[in-house]
Amino acid sequence: MQSNSQEKDNVIRNKSFDFSIRIINLYKVLYNERNEKTLSKQLLRSGTSIGANIEEGIASFSKKEFIYKLQISYKEAYESFYWIKLLHKTEFINDTEFNSLKINIEEIIKLLTTILKTSKQNS
């Protein structure tokens, strides 16, 4: 979409896709092995929505639409972080799992913040 942040778009695209894979795999473990059905579905929905909205943003026809889709991704990232924290505090995920996911989601949030800030300044 935007030439000056094309590399960042690729980074966010890759990180959000990899995060979605992690979330799907975590969902399978939570659902099948740890018997957690409700919170894991919420995390599955929000965690995979981040990358889906980034893809829609990349394919958008206008800067306004691009920003809108990335804002949705940003909100979904914060929601995912909420579910990750909740699953950790309720002992469905351990400290190691939590810390690893926390690093991933914080990286995604920082990238989205930077891309959104730059995109808004350039529009």
Side-chain angles (χ1 to χ4, degrees):
M1 173 82 218
Q2 46 194 2
S3 57
N4 65 348
S5 66
Q6 201 165 19
E7 288 179 38
K8 287 182 185 173
D9 290 342
N10 290 335
V11 171
I12 192 62
R13 183 184 232 173
N14 295 335
K15 285 190 180 289
S16 63
F17 187 80
D18 291 345
F19 184 74
S20 292
I21 292 168
R22 286 198 71 192
I23 293 303
I24 291 166
N25 289 330
L26 176 60
Y27 171 77
K28 290 190 244 182
V29 170
L30 289 169
Y31 193 89
N32 295 322
E33 297 174 21
R34 299 180 191 168
N35 201 31
E36 200 306 300
K37 311 287 190 218
T38 306
L39 301 178
S40 58
K41 282 185 184 176
Q42 292 287 93
L43 178 59
L44 178 67
R45 187 201 55 74
S46 64
T48 56
S49 179
I50 299 166
N53 279 290
I54 289 167
E55 289 295 325
E56 285 187 49
I58 290 168
S60 64
F61 294 108
S62 70
K63 178 79 82 173
K64 184 178 178 180
E65 184 182 3
F66 173 79
I67 291 169
Y68 176 73
K69 288 298 181 178
L70 265 70
Q71 286 173 326
I72 294 171
S73 292
Y74 179 82
K75 290 165 62 173
E76 294 291 344
Y78 266 97
E79 181 181 340
S80 297
F81 196 14
Y82 173 82
W83 296 122
I84 290 165
K85 291 185 284 190
L86 191 58
L87 286 162
H88 180 242
K89 290 293 183 183
T90 55
E91 300 179 354
F92 282 104
I93 60 174
N94 63 36
D95 291 343
T96 304
E97 292 166 320
F98 171 74
N99 290 327
S100 177
L101 289 164
K102 180 177 184 275
I103 289 167
N104 287 161
I105 198 64
E106 285 176 340
E107 287 176 350
I108 289 169
I109 289 169
K110 285 178 187 174
L111 284 167
L112 286 168
T113 300
T114 301
I115 294 167
L116 284 166
K117 183 179 177 183
T118 302
S119 296
K120 288 176 183 177
Q121 287 173 347
N122 293 338
S123 63

